[in-house]
Every structure is written in structure tokens, then in C-alpha cells.
């Protein structure tokens, strides 16, 4: 990805908010491509549209609905969010928003952990309170020095911090406060302190479940091959199905946990993206999103099931869930996939040029095993702001090992590396 000096235009306004007004007549379709081909249109909404509604300002929702009522001759079907946020706005813009209660619970992490545990679903033991000396002292006494700190609200890895034993309690608080500030996390948000499950050799997975009429129809498991011990907690390689022997051995216990999550959330239709860690032979829930997995995760799920979790989520959000027979009728294209986040090797950064990246794009575009890719690239002859590029790519195959090897063979000639 380019250095900050190159970002003269800044991000496209609202580009980081995946909330869309949906237009046209919905029809049962198992992929986004089929929905769009059938006349459905998506219009991305920016923060200027959503913030007044999220803030509960009088008449804000109706004013926005009036503005969105039609687009290019199509009627508004509803508004859909593909991240963990904006639930208040989505509930105000969609009559009887079916996912509201589940989304509210998963973004209150302390309540989520407590509710899961009460329903027999393993979740981390935890303490919650203001980020201060008393909280950390109590957590250290109860859980030991292997601690994780995270905001009590929200989802994902934003604001997650592993307690540093080389620092004092006060120094940990100071470092974590700065980390939260960088993540734009309000200082008033309580902090959860919980044990770092699984130890330094922790095994972590994500499960993307497609839920229809209260039952899990598909559950695609990604092994996080590069789960890190310290922040930032970024997944750089994921394989589905998993290959690590301990993970494979523990997979029989996963359906009961996934079913318990669905029951706890009282989710009738929709998708779930769940992060779990293996601890003492048991899968513990770290995080849940009532939404599809981000990035190329959804593309991998579609390749392995024939059903696009984004289409499932869109339909469920608008109270028009896909029928079970539509989901059952789909045919998988592949049996396995590998997803990777790649960067140029240091020794290649000074030599990269756009012509080489265009050649890479040509190969990716015409390889039938590639299920999706996203490339950021720049060209600049400058030793201070060095050219760089980041490539997200998904490759499918008959086995995860074959998919991984094929991915490496595609990116390595262009100087890209994966851990």
C-alpha cells in the first residue's frame, strides 16, 4: 500500500461504511451477482446520511427515507449494513429490523460473553470496568499475566491489546490508552479484561454460518494460519477446510457450539461470522458478527457452498430470507480455498513498477482458480516514501494444500510474500 504522502485524494467519502440502500424488487437469489442481474441496485450511504439517524435525532429517519424513496425508477426495498455498526440506524430505517436484537447483543461484548456462558456456550471468563489500576490488579490476580484487554462494545480486533509483562500496570494503561485513541475508541467505553486463551501456541479459526429457519445450513471453517500473539491481530493466511491436526481433531465439537450461538442469539435467518479459539480442547467464542465475513471470506464461502452469504444477509436484513430450497439447490464450485494478504518483499520494493503489476493483474484475471483479488499499488522513485503494494487474494482448489501452493505460485514471481 502506498505511503501516506501519496494519499493526496484521501479515501472516497463514505467508502469505509458498507451500508447500502437497496432498490428494486427482491427475488430469491443465492448470490449477489444474481440479485444484481435481476434488477436490484445498491446505493452506498455515507456518514452524513447515517449519523443523524444513529444519533436518534427527531425526524432524521423519515427525512432520509423520503430522500431514498426511489433511485433510477426503482423503489426502496430497505437498507442493509455489512459491518458490525449502525444497528440503531438500520433499525430505524427498516420496519421490524429482524437482526436488531442479535446485532445489539454481539456488539456488547461483556453481555455477549455472559449470555453465551449462561446458555452453555464456552466464552472467555472476564472482568469489566473502567480502564484503571483496580481493574488490571483484579484481572491479574484472577487470570494471571496472560491478559487480553478489549473494548466492551464493538466487534472485531479494533482496540484489542495483549498485556505486556515487561511494563508496569501504569505503563500498560498508558500504552493501551494510546492504542484505543488510534482506533477512535471513546475513553468512556468500559474495558474487558480476560485471559489470553490457548497460550502462545493458540489455535484460532473463524466459522461462517448460513442460518435458515433457525438451522445452520452451511458452516465454512477457516484456519487462521498466522494468528499473531500481539496487536495488530491481522489474519494474513487462512485455509478452508483446516489442515492443522489439532484443529481437525477438535472439529467434531464445533457444530454444537455453532448451534448454541444461533440459539443464544435467537437468529432465525441470516449469516454469522464467528471467531473461536481452541482452549483445553474446547472451542471458545471470542467474537461474533451478525453479518458475512469481510474481505474475500464471503467469496470463499460462496465457492465452497454455492451460496453467497452476502445475498443471505441482505435478504434476511430486509425480512425477506432466502428459502431453504434455494440454499439447498446450490452446487459448490470447489472443495477448498486459501486466502492471503501479501506484500512486496523488501528487496523488491525499489524495483516495482506498474507494468509488472499490470502483468500480475492479467494473470489473476484469467486464472479460473482465483476467486477474487484486490491490489493496491503505486509507483514513486523516492527512498523516503518507498513504493509498495498490498495484494489480497483468494484461490480455490480441490484441497487446501493445493490451493495454498497455487496461490504461492501466482504471487511469488512478482515479489510478493506471505508469512
Amino acid at each position: 500500500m502506498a505511503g501516506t504522502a501519496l494519499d493526496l485524494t484521501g479515501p472516497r467519502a463514505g467508502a469505509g461504511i458498507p451500508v447500502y440502500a437497496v432498490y428494486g424488487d427482491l427475488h430469491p437469489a443465492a448470490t449477489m451477482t444474481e440479485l444484481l442481474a435481476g434488477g436490484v441496485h445498491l446505493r452506498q450511504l455515507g456518514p452524513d446520511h447515517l449519523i443523524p439517524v444513529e444519533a436518534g435525532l427527531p425526524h432524521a429517519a423519515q427525512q432520509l427515507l423520503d430522500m431514498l424513496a426511489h433511485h433510477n425508477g426503482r423503489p426502496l426495498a430497505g437498507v442493509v449494513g455489512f459491518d458490525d455498526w449502525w444497528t440503531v440506524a438500520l433499525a430505524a430505517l427498516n420496519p421490524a429490523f429482524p437482526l436488531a436484537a442479535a446485532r445489539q447483543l454481539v456488539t456488547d461484548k461483556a453481555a455477549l460473553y455472559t449470555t453465551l456462558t449462561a446458555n452453555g456456550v464456552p466464552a472467555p471468563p472476564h472482568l469489566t470496568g473502567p480502564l484503571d489500576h483496580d481493574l488490571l490488579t483484579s484481572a491479574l490476580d484472577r487470570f494471571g499475566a496472560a491478559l487480553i484487554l478489549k473494548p466492551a462494545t464493538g466487534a472485531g480486533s479494533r482496540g484489542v491489546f495483549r498485556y505486556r509483562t515487561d511494563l508496569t500496570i501504569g505503563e500498560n494503561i498508558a500504552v493501551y490508552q494510546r492504542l484505543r485513541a488510534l482506533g477512535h475508541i471513546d475513553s468512556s467505553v468500559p474495558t474487558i479484561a480476560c485471559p489470553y486463551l490457548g497460550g502462545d501456541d493458540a489455535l484460532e479459526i473463524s466459522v461462517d454460518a448460513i442460518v435458515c429457519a433457525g438451522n445452520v445450513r452451511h458452516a465454512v471453517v477457516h484456519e487462521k494460519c498466522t494468528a499473531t500473539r500481539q496487536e495488530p491481530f491481522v489474519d494474513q493466511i487462512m485455509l478452508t477446510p483446516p489442515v492443522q491436526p489439532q484443529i481437525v481433531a477438535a472439529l467434531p465439537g464445533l457444530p454444537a457450539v455453532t448451534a448454541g450461538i444461533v440459539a443464544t442469539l435467537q437468529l432465525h435467518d441470516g449469516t454469522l461470522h464467528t471467531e473461536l479459539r481452541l482452549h483445553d480442547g474446547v472451542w471458545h467464542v471470542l467474537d461474533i458478527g451478525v453479518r458475512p465475513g469481510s474481505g474475500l471470506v464471503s467469496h470463499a464461502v460462496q465457492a465452497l457452498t454455492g451460496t453467497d452469504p452476502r445475498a443471505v444477509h441482505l435478504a434476511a436484513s430486509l425480512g425477506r430470507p432466502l428459502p431453504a430450497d434455494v440454499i439447498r439447490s446450490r452446487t459448490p464450485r470447489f472443495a477448498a480455498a486459501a486466502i492471503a494478504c501479501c506484500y512486496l518483499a523488501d528487496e523488491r520494493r525499489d524495483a516495482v513498477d506498474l507494468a509488472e503489476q499490470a502483468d500480475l493483474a492479467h494473470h489473476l484475471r484469467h486464472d479460473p482458480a482465483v476467486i477474487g483479488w484486490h491490489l493496491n499499488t503505486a509507483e514513486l522513485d523516492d527512498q523516503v516514501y518507498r513504493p509498495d503494494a498490498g495484494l489480497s487474494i483468494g484461490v480455490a482448489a480441490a484441497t487446501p494444500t493445493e490451493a495454498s501452493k497455487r496461490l504461492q505460485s501466482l504471487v511469488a514471481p512478482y515479489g510478493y510474500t506471505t508469512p
Side-chain angles (χ1 to χ4, degrees):
M1 284 176 282
T4 54
L6 293 179
D7 299 333
L8 301 179
T9 59
R12 185 186 299 272
I17 299 177
V19 176
Y20 298 86
V22 182
Y23 293 90
D25 295 325
L26 293 184
H27 53 95
T31 71
M32 288 297 294
T33 300
E34 293 167 358
L35 276 175
L36 298 175
V40 170
H41 180 78
L42 303 182
R43 176 185 176 186
Q44 191 168 17
L45 303 181
D48 54 327
H49 296 118
L50 295 168
I51 287 175
V53 183
E54 186 79 8
L57 298 188
H59 312 303
Q62 189 58 54
Q63 289 172 351
L64 182 55
L65 287 171
D66 291 343
M67 186 190 80
L68 297 174
H70 291 87
H71 183 67
N72 290 341
R74 299 179 176 93
L76 178 68
V79 181
V80 176
F82 288 89
D83 65 4
D84 299 302
W85 314 105
W86 308 105
T87 299
V88 172
L90 292 169
L93 297 169
N94 293 311
F97 181 41
L99 306 182
R103 285 171 64 93
Q104 288 165 357
L105 177 57
V106 301
T107 51
D108 183 345
K109 206 163 291 187
L112 174 65
Y113 286 173
T114 299
T115 306
L116 287 170
T117 302
N119 283 277
V121 180
H126 64 282
L127 297 175
T128 307
L131 179 61
D132 57 22
H133 195 279
D134 289 343
L135 175 68
L136 292 194
T137 299
S138 298
L140 290 167
D141 289 343
R142 180 172 173 182
F143 305 129
L147 284 180
I148 284 286
L149 306 178
K150 60 183 73 175
T153 60
S157 61
R158 188 167 66 105
V160 178
F161 173 72
R162 186 173 180 187
Y163 186 87
R164 290 179 51 176
T165 56
D166 60 321
L167 302 179
T168 66
I169 290 178
E171 290 169 338
N172 269 282
I173 291 173
V175 170
Y176 186 43
Q177 285 174 332
R178 296 308 306 157
L179 178 69
R180 285 172 60 127
L182 286 173
H184 304 289
I185 299 166
D186 193 280
S187 60
S188 66
V189 173
T191 296
I192 290 179
C194 57
Y196 183 79
L197 299 180
D200 284 340
D201 297 321
L203 300 173
E204 195 167 314
I205 62 171
S206 67
V207 178
D208 284 82
I210 293 175
V211 181
C212 182
N215 296 308
V216 177
R217 299 295 179 182
H218 295 293
V220 175
V221 182
H222 277 93
E223 174 186 340
K224 297 186 172 188
C225 303
T226 53
T228 55
R229 301 178 183 180
Q230 300 287 155
E231 69 288 333
F233 297 98
V234 177
D235 304 316
Q236 291 185 286
I237 304 177
M238 299 173 68
L239 294 179
T240 181
V243 297
Q244 211 282 346
Q246 285 179 269
I247 293 178
V248 174
L251 288 180
L254 198 54
V257 176
T258 305
I261 293 170
V262 172
T264 297
L265 299 182
Q266 299 182 41
L267 184 67
H268 194 261
D269 295 279
T271 63
L272 292 174
H273 177 77
T274 305
E275 313 280 341
L276 304 104
R277 180 165 287 187
L278 190 62
H279 179 66
D280 292 338
V282 175
W283 292 111
H284 286 68
V285 177
L286 301 183
D287 215 344
I288 301 173
V290 184
R291 56 164 175 82
S294 58
L296 292 171
V297 171
S298 291
H299 297 75
V301 173
Q302 181 178 338
L304 269 66
T305 67
T307 299
D308 185 344
R310 298 169 302 170
V312 173
H313 177 69
L314 185 150
S317 295
L318 303 186
R320 303 271 299 274
L322 295 188
D325 59 343
V326 171
I327 294 174
R328 283 195 297 262
S329 67
R330 307 304 294 193
T331 302
R333 292 177 54 220
F334 296 96
I339 299 172
C341 177
C342 314
Y343 292 92
L344 285 167
D346 283 343
E347 62 271 16
R348 291 290 298 275
R349 289 177 68 186
D350 293 337
V352 69
D353 58 43
L354 293 182
E356 188 174 33
Q357 301 307 304
D359 187 61
L360 168 62
H362 173 80
H363 280 84
L364 297 181
R365 189 175 294 118
H366 293 90
D367 192 315
V370 176
I371 58 176
W373 56 279
H374 183 278
L375 175 65
N376 295 319
T377 188
E379 185 170 308
L380 183 66
D381 183 16
D382 190 321
Q383 286 298 304
V384 177
Y385 299 106
R386 300 173 66 194
D388 202 356
L391 170 68
S392 295
I393 180 173
V395 175
T399 69
T401 301
E402 182 182 338
S404 180
K405 289 180 178 178
R406 179 60 182 154
L407 187 153
Q408 296 285 352
S409 70
L410 281 169
V411 304
Y414 296 91
Y416 286 96
T417 63
T418 57

